[in-house]
Amino acid sequence: MASPEAPAVNATGATSTLVPDATPYAFRWEMLLRPEFLLFDAQIIFGALTVIWLGAHGSLRRPPSAAPAESEDKDKKKKSKEDEQFTEGLTASDAIMFPILAGAVLIGLYYLLEWLKDPNLLNKILRGYMSVAGIAGLGKLSGDALEILTSLIFPSVWSDRSNRLYYVDPVCRSQVLVDPTTNQAMTTDKKSPFPGVFSRVPLPTGLNRLAWEIRHLFTEKWTVRLAAHGVGSFKSQIKFNHLLGFLVSIAITTAYHLVEWHVLSNILGAAMCYAAFGMLSPTSFGIGTAVLWGLFFYDIVMVFYTPFMITVAKKIDAPIKLVFKSSSGFSMLGLGDIVVPGLLMALALRFDLYMFYKRQIQYQPIDVSSEQASSTDQAATAMTETQFRRTKAPFVESEGQWGNRFWTTKLGNLMPNPACGAVRAATAFPKPYFYASVAGYALGMVFTLTMLQVFNHGQPALLYLVPCVTGSVWLTGLVRRELKDVWGYTEDGSLDTKDVVVTLDANGDEVRKPAADKDEQESKDGVKSEKEAEKKKEETSGEYDVVLFSIKAPRPKPPKTD
C-alpha cells in the first residue's frame, strides 16, 4: 500500500490493479506536474517497457518470408531447423477461455485466503513454486545477457573511423580487412581477437593464445546429451554462457529466499515475463486482439464490481509483480500488465521482421510450357505461360549481432555501417509496428497512472492498455496501407513455404498461393530415422546405456599458417 504521492500497481494472475491509499484524499491537477510524481511514473513505464523490449527481441525467430540460413555444419543446420519450429500459439477460443480461467483462479485464491485467515503458508507455497518456474526463465535471460556481453568483447566484425571493416577469423587467428570501395579482403598484422583500439594493444604470445582460447570457449556450441534406458533420449546444443546463466539463476533464486530485497523479486518477475514471450505466441493479430479484449472486460469486472482482485493483490507476497520504491512510498506493477499486451507487441516486432524479408523476395520470370487438348480431340496445343520463381533472402540470426552492431556504428549514429548487411538485417531492420505499439503502451500507462491520481481508486490497467496497444498496431497498418498483410500474417506455419513458381497479378502480388512447405514433415522423418538408427545400433551392440549424461565441447582447431 502506498501513499497518495506514490501510487501503487498491484496484480495477480493475468491482469493487474492500481491500488492507492485509503486515507482522505483531495486531488489537485497540479499534483500531476510534481517532479517526484513524474519521475516515479517514468520509472514504472520505463521498467515495463524495458522488460517488453528485451522479451520481444528475445522472441525473434526466422519469419516465413525468409529462407533458412545455410550452414556447412550439418549438426548446426539441424539445430537451426529445430529452432525454426513455431511455438504452439493461441487459438480463437482462448479469447473466451482466458478470462474464464483467470477468473476461476482469482476467485479460488480469494476464498482460499479467506479460509486460511493467515496468508503466510500460501505465500510460502507460491514463492517456492514461482521460484522454481523462474529458474528456467532467469537462466534463459542470464544466458542471453551473457551472450550479448560476449559479443561486445569478442565481436566477429568491427569498423574503424574510415568505415573499413575488420573481420575476425578464428581459424587463422587473425583479422581480415575489407576495403569499402573495392570490397576486397586483405590480410593484416592484427593477431588479436579484440576489436577497435584494443586490437592495437600488443599482447605476449601466451596471453594472445589464451584470449583466442577464451573466445572459442564462449562462442562455440556444446552438445548436451541425456538418455535413460526405456525412457528416451535428449540431445541439444548449448553454449557455455547458458551453463553460466543457469548457475546465476540458481544463485539469484536462493538469495531471493534468504534476503528480503525487492530487487531480487523484480529480477525473477522480469525473467518469467522474458520466458513467456519466448514460449507464447498470439498466432495472429486477430486472435491476439480478441484475447486482449476478452481480458479487458475481465479486468474491469474484477476491479470495479468485485473485491477479488484488490484483496488477492494486497495479500499475496510472491514474484508476480515488479516493485518500485521511492522515499515517499512504493508502487507495484503486475506481471500481467507486461505479458498480456507485451505478447501482441512481440508479435508486432516479428511482423516487422517478416515484412523486412518479404520486401527482399525476388521473382524471376520463367516460361512454363503445358499441353492443352483441342476441342476436336485430335491434337494437343502447346501453350506457354510466364510465371515467376520466388526466391527468399536467407535469414540472419540475431545471436552475436548486437556486439557487431555496437562496433560497426559510429559515435553519434544510430545505424551500423551500411556495408554490414547481416548486422542491419538482424538488429537494425525497420520496426514501425513495434515502435507504434511501444508508444501505445506508454500512452496507456500514462492514462492509468493519471486516473489513479484523479479518482484515488483502484484502476484496471488493461482498461487503458488494451485500446492503446491494439489501436496503435491496427492504425499503423491502416496508415501504411498494409491491413491485408497485418490480417493475413500468422505464425501457425502455413506461410512458411519453399521457393516455388507462382503467378503474379498486375500489382505484383501472388495470385496462387503455394502449398504449405514439407520441411517440417521432412524434419520429423529425419529425426525419426535417426532415432531408429540409434535404437538399432543399441540392439546390435553388446551393451547399452542405463543412464547417460554428457556434455561435449568442440576442440579448438590449430591456427592455419600461410
Side-chain angles (χ1 to χ4, degrees), residues 1 28 57 128 160 187 208 217 228 232 247 285 316 346 385 392 402 435 439 443 445 469 487 531 553:
M1 191 66 66
R28 297 183 304 275
H57 284 81
D160 58 12
T187 58
N208 189 67
L217 175 67
L247 297 178
F285 285 103
I316 292 295
E385 180 183 6
K392 300 178 182 179
W402 289 104
Y435 290 148
L443 181 62
M445 285 298 299
V469 172
W487 179 258
K531 290 183 177 180

Short mmCIF file of all heavy atoms in Angstrom, two decimals, residues 1 28 57 128 160 187 208 217 228 232 247 285 316 346 385 392 402 435 439 443 445 469 487 531 553:
data_model
loop_
_atom_site.label_atom_id
_atom_site.label_comp_id
_atom_site.label_asym_id
_atom_site.label_seq_id
_atom_site.Cartn_x
_atom_site.Cartn_y
_atom_site.Cartn_z
N MET A 1 0.84 -1.19 0.00
CA MET A 1 0.00 0.00 0.00
C MET A 1 0.88 1.24 0.00
O MET A 1 1.86 1.30 0.74
CB MET A 1 -0.91 0.00 1.22
CG MET A 1 -2.00 1.07 1.17
SD MET A 1 -3.19 0.77 -0.15
CE MET A 1 -3.96 -0.73 0.42
N ARG A 28 -5.68 17.50 -6.85
CA ARG A 28 -5.45 18.79 -7.49
C ARG A 28 -4.63 18.53 -8.76
O ARG A 28 -3.69 17.74 -8.76
CB ARG A 28 -4.70 19.74 -6.57
CG ARG A 28 -5.45 20.08 -5.30
CD ARG A 28 -4.68 21.09 -4.45
NE ARG A 28 -3.35 20.64 -4.13
CZ ARG A 28 -3.07 19.85 -3.09
NH1 ARG A 28 -4.06 19.45 -2.29
NH2 ARG A 28 -1.84 19.47 -2.85
N HIS A 57 12.51 -8.84 -28.39
CA HIS A 57 13.69 -9.15 -29.20
C HIS A 57 14.20 -10.56 -28.92
O HIS A 57 14.78 -11.20 -29.81
CB HIS A 57 14.78 -8.12 -28.94
CG HIS A 57 14.54 -6.80 -29.60
ND1 HIS A 57 13.69 -5.85 -29.07
CD2 HIS A 57 15.02 -6.27 -30.77
CE1 HIS A 57 13.66 -4.80 -29.88
NE2 HIS A 57 14.45 -5.02 -30.91
N GLY A 128 7.73 -20.56 -3.45
CA GLY A 128 8.52 -21.71 -3.88
C GLY A 128 8.21 -22.13 -5.30
O GLY A 128 9.11 -22.39 -6.10
N ASP A 160 36.54 0.78 -38.45
CA ASP A 160 37.32 1.90 -37.93
C ASP A 160 36.67 3.22 -38.36
O ASP A 160 35.57 3.25 -38.91
CB ASP A 160 38.77 1.81 -38.40
CG ASP A 160 38.89 1.80 -39.91
OD1 ASP A 160 37.88 2.08 -40.60
OD2 ASP A 160 39.99 1.50 -40.43
N THR A 187 44.75 -9.38 -45.84
CA THR A 187 45.27 -9.82 -44.55
C THR A 187 45.95 -8.65 -43.85
O THR A 187 46.49 -7.75 -44.48
CB THR A 187 46.27 -10.97 -44.73
OG1 THR A 187 47.34 -10.52 -45.58
CG2 THR A 187 45.59 -12.18 -45.34
N ASN A 208 48.02 -13.85 -25.80
CA ASN A 208 47.19 -13.77 -27.01
C ASN A 208 46.55 -15.12 -27.32
O ASN A 208 45.38 -15.19 -27.71
CB ASN A 208 48.05 -13.31 -28.18
CG ASN A 208 47.21 -13.00 -29.41
OD1 ASN A 208 46.42 -12.07 -29.43
ND2 ASN A 208 47.40 -13.80 -30.45
N LEU A 217 35.89 -20.67 -26.25
CA LEU A 217 35.08 -21.25 -25.18
C LEU A 217 33.70 -20.63 -25.13
O LEU A 217 32.70 -21.34 -24.94
CB LEU A 217 35.80 -21.07 -23.84
CG LEU A 217 35.06 -21.53 -22.59
CD1 LEU A 217 34.89 -23.04 -22.58
CD2 LEU A 217 35.78 -21.05 -21.33
N ALA A 228 18.08 -42.21 -20.86
CA ALA A 228 17.73 -43.20 -19.84
C ALA A 228 17.11 -44.40 -20.54
O ALA A 228 16.19 -44.23 -21.36
CB ALA A 228 16.78 -42.62 -18.80
N GLY A 232 13.92 -42.75 -22.91
CA GLY A 232 14.16 -41.96 -24.10
C GLY A 232 15.47 -41.22 -23.99
O GLY A 232 16.25 -41.39 -23.04
N LEU A 247 23.58 -21.34 -13.63
CA LEU A 247 24.16 -21.20 -12.29
C LEU A 247 23.79 -19.85 -11.68
O LEU A 247 23.51 -19.76 -10.47
CB LEU A 247 25.68 -21.35 -12.38
CG LEU A 247 26.20 -22.71 -12.86
CD1 LEU A 247 27.72 -22.71 -12.93
CD2 LEU A 247 25.72 -23.83 -11.94
N PHE A 285 -2.69 -11.45 -35.45
CA PHE A 285 -3.14 -10.21 -34.83
C PHE A 285 -4.63 -10.28 -34.49
O PHE A 285 -5.07 -9.66 -33.51
CB PHE A 285 -2.87 -9.03 -35.77
CG PHE A 285 -1.43 -8.63 -35.81
CD1 PHE A 285 -0.63 -8.99 -36.89
CD2 PHE A 285 -0.85 -7.91 -34.79
CE1 PHE A 285 0.70 -8.61 -36.94
CE2 PHE A 285 0.48 -7.53 -34.82
CZ PHE A 285 1.26 -7.89 -35.91
N ILE A 316 -1.14 -11.41 -1.42
CA ILE A 316 -0.18 -12.34 -2.00
C ILE A 316 1.20 -11.69 -2.03
O ILE A 316 1.36 -10.59 -2.55
CB ILE A 316 -0.61 -12.78 -3.41
CG1 ILE A 316 -1.86 -13.62 -3.35
CG2 ILE A 316 0.51 -13.54 -4.10
CD1 ILE A 316 -1.68 -14.95 -2.64
N ALA A 346 5.26 -8.12 -29.04
CA ALA A 346 6.29 -9.01 -29.58
C ALA A 346 5.89 -9.54 -30.95
O ALA A 346 6.74 -9.69 -31.84
CB ALA A 346 6.54 -10.16 -28.60
N GLU A 385 3.16 -20.21 -70.64
CA GLU A 385 2.69 -19.22 -69.67
C GLU A 385 3.90 -18.68 -68.89
O GLU A 385 4.75 -19.44 -68.46
CB GLU A 385 1.69 -19.84 -68.70
CG GLU A 385 1.15 -18.86 -67.68
CD GLU A 385 0.22 -19.54 -66.69
OE1 GLU A 385 0.10 -20.78 -66.77
OE2 GLU A 385 -0.36 -18.85 -65.85
N LYS A 392 13.61 -16.42 -51.72
CA LYS A 392 13.66 -15.69 -50.46
C LYS A 392 15.11 -15.38 -50.07
O LYS A 392 16.03 -16.13 -50.41
CB LYS A 392 13.02 -16.52 -49.33
CG LYS A 392 11.56 -16.86 -49.56
CD LYS A 392 11.05 -17.70 -48.41
CE LYS A 392 9.60 -18.12 -48.60
NZ LYS A 392 9.13 -18.97 -47.48
N TRP A 402 24.48 -8.16 -31.79
CA TRP A 402 24.36 -6.89 -31.07
C TRP A 402 25.74 -6.30 -30.78
O TRP A 402 25.92 -5.08 -30.83
CB TRP A 402 23.57 -7.10 -29.78
CG TRP A 402 22.12 -7.35 -30.03
CD1 TRP A 402 21.47 -8.55 -29.97
CD2 TRP A 402 21.15 -6.38 -30.42
NE1 TRP A 402 20.14 -8.39 -30.30
CE2 TRP A 402 19.92 -7.07 -30.57
CE3 TRP A 402 21.18 -5.02 -30.65
CZ2 TRP A 402 18.75 -6.42 -30.94
CZ3 TRP A 402 20.01 -4.36 -31.01
CH2 TRP A 402 18.81 -5.07 -31.15
N TYR A 435 7.41 -0.04 -32.74
CA TYR A 435 7.54 1.28 -32.13
C TYR A 435 6.17 1.92 -31.89
O TYR A 435 5.96 2.63 -30.90
CB TYR A 435 8.40 2.18 -33.00
CG TYR A 435 9.86 1.79 -33.03
CD1 TYR A 435 10.65 1.99 -34.15
CD2 TYR A 435 10.47 1.22 -31.90
CE1 TYR A 435 11.99 1.64 -34.17
CE2 TYR A 435 11.80 0.87 -31.91
CZ TYR A 435 12.56 1.07 -33.05
OH TYR A 435 13.88 0.70 -33.05
N ALA A 439 4.71 3.10 -28.24
CA ALA A 439 4.09 4.39 -27.96
C ALA A 439 2.69 4.22 -27.39
O ALA A 439 2.29 4.94 -26.47
CB ALA A 439 4.05 5.23 -29.24
N LEU A 443 1.43 5.41 -23.66
CA LEU A 443 0.26 6.27 -23.53
C LEU A 443 -0.77 5.63 -22.59
O LEU A 443 -1.38 6.32 -21.76
CB LEU A 443 -0.35 6.52 -24.90
CG LEU A 443 -1.59 7.44 -24.95
CD1 LEU A 443 -1.22 8.84 -24.45
CD2 LEU A 443 -2.15 7.50 -26.37
N MET A 445 -0.20 3.56 -20.13
CA MET A 445 0.28 3.64 -18.76
C MET A 445 0.12 5.06 -18.20
O MET A 445 -0.17 5.25 -17.01
CB MET A 445 1.74 3.21 -18.69
CG MET A 445 1.94 1.71 -18.79
SD MET A 445 1.16 0.79 -17.45
CE MET A 445 2.01 1.46 -16.02
N VAL A 469 -2.74 -0.20 -27.12
CA VAL A 469 -1.81 -1.09 -27.80
C VAL A 469 -2.43 -1.66 -29.08
O VAL A 469 -1.82 -1.61 -30.16
CB VAL A 469 -1.35 -2.23 -26.86
CG1 VAL A 469 -0.53 -3.26 -27.62
CG2 VAL A 469 -0.53 -1.66 -25.71
N TRP A 487 -3.61 -8.55 -41.31
CA TRP A 487 -4.67 -9.52 -41.06
C TRP A 487 -4.25 -10.92 -41.50
O TRP A 487 -4.61 -11.92 -40.86
CB TRP A 487 -5.95 -9.10 -41.79
CG TRP A 487 -7.09 -10.06 -41.60
CD1 TRP A 487 -7.54 -11.00 -42.49
CD2 TRP A 487 -7.91 -10.19 -40.45
NE1 TRP A 487 -8.57 -11.72 -41.95
CE2 TRP A 487 -8.83 -11.23 -40.69
CE3 TRP A 487 -7.95 -9.52 -39.22
CZ2 TRP A 487 -9.78 -11.61 -39.76
CZ3 TRP A 487 -8.90 -9.90 -38.28
CH2 TRP A 487 -9.80 -10.93 -38.56
N LYS A 531 16.49 -41.71 -34.80
CA LYS A 531 16.20 -42.44 -33.57
C LYS A 531 16.14 -43.95 -33.83
O LYS A 531 16.60 -44.75 -33.02
CB LYS A 531 14.87 -41.96 -32.98
CG LYS A 531 14.94 -40.56 -32.41
CD LYS A 531 13.61 -40.17 -31.78
CE LYS A 531 13.69 -38.78 -31.14
NZ LYS A 531 12.40 -38.39 -30.53
N ALA A 553 32.36 -30.52 -25.72
CA ALA A 553 32.78 -29.21 -26.23
C ALA A 553 33.65 -29.40 -27.46
O ALA A 553 34.46 -30.35 -27.52
CB ALA A 553 33.54 -28.44 -25.16
#
